[in-house]
Amino acid sequence: MKRDQKILDEFGKQLIHTVYDFNYKLLKQAILHLNKKGAIVDNLDFLCSETFESVLFNILNFFEENEQFKIVYEEEGKQVNLVEISEMLKTEIHGENGWIERFSEELKKDNDS
């Protein structure tokens, strides 16, 4: 077994590469594109929503593709691996019955106004 710090560094390196760097690049490209059109303010809600949805998707995808790292729910001494109880954990956020539509307070505020 690797040392704790080596495991944390491996996790951090892979997470930053696959989630942070990927989404940073996407957001930066979108902002530069919209800035050329003078349309950043008009598309701010869409830009924020798409960026955060992409971040969530990529975090969940990271756990699906890297079996050595787990997302575990524990209750009364029993553990459940969330990747194993979902058909595709990364897609749980999408769609009409997805987590974002069902649970986002911010989305509800925007839809009510």
Side-chain angles (χ1 to χ4, degrees), residues 44-106:
L44 193 56
D45 285 342
F46 174 78
L47 195 57
C48 289
S49 176
E50 288 296 308
T51 299
F52 289 113
E53 189 169 328
S54 180
V55 168
L56 289 171
F57 179 90
N58 285 299
I59 288 171
L60 297 173
N61 186 56
F62 173 84
F63 284 100
E64 287 183 344
E65 292 185 359
N66 295 280
E67 294 177 5
Q68 69 272 33
F69 303 115
K70 310 272 187 242
I71 303 177
V72 175
Y73 173 81
E74 184 173 343
E75 184 178 339
E76 298 176 4
K78 295 181 182 177
Q79 292 186 345
V80 176
N81 182 337
L82 298 184
V83 172
E84 291 174 358
I85 63 171
S86 173
E87 288 183 31
M88 289 184 72
L89 190 61
K90 65 185 169 238
T91 62
E92 298 281 352
I93 62 173
H94 296 296
E96 192 174 301
N97 290 316
W99 295 340
I100 294 171
E101 285 287 329
R102 291 175 26 217
F103 305 127
S104 173
E105 295 296 323
E106 293 302 314

Side-chain angles (χ1 to χ4, degrees), residues 21-58:
D21 288 349
F22 177 80
N23 288 287
Y24 180 88
K25 183 179 175 182
L26 279 179
L27 180 59
K28 186 175 177 180
Q29 289 172 346
I31 288 171
L32 290 172
H33 176 73
L34 291 171
N35 190 41
K36 288 179 186 176
K37 293 182 170 187
I40 290 177
V41 174
D42 295 338
N43 290 286
L44 193 56
D45 285 342
F46 174 78
L47 195 57
C48 289
S49 176
E50 288 296 308
T51 299
F52 289 113
E53 189 169 328
S54 180
V55 168
L56 289 171
F57 179 90
N58 285 299

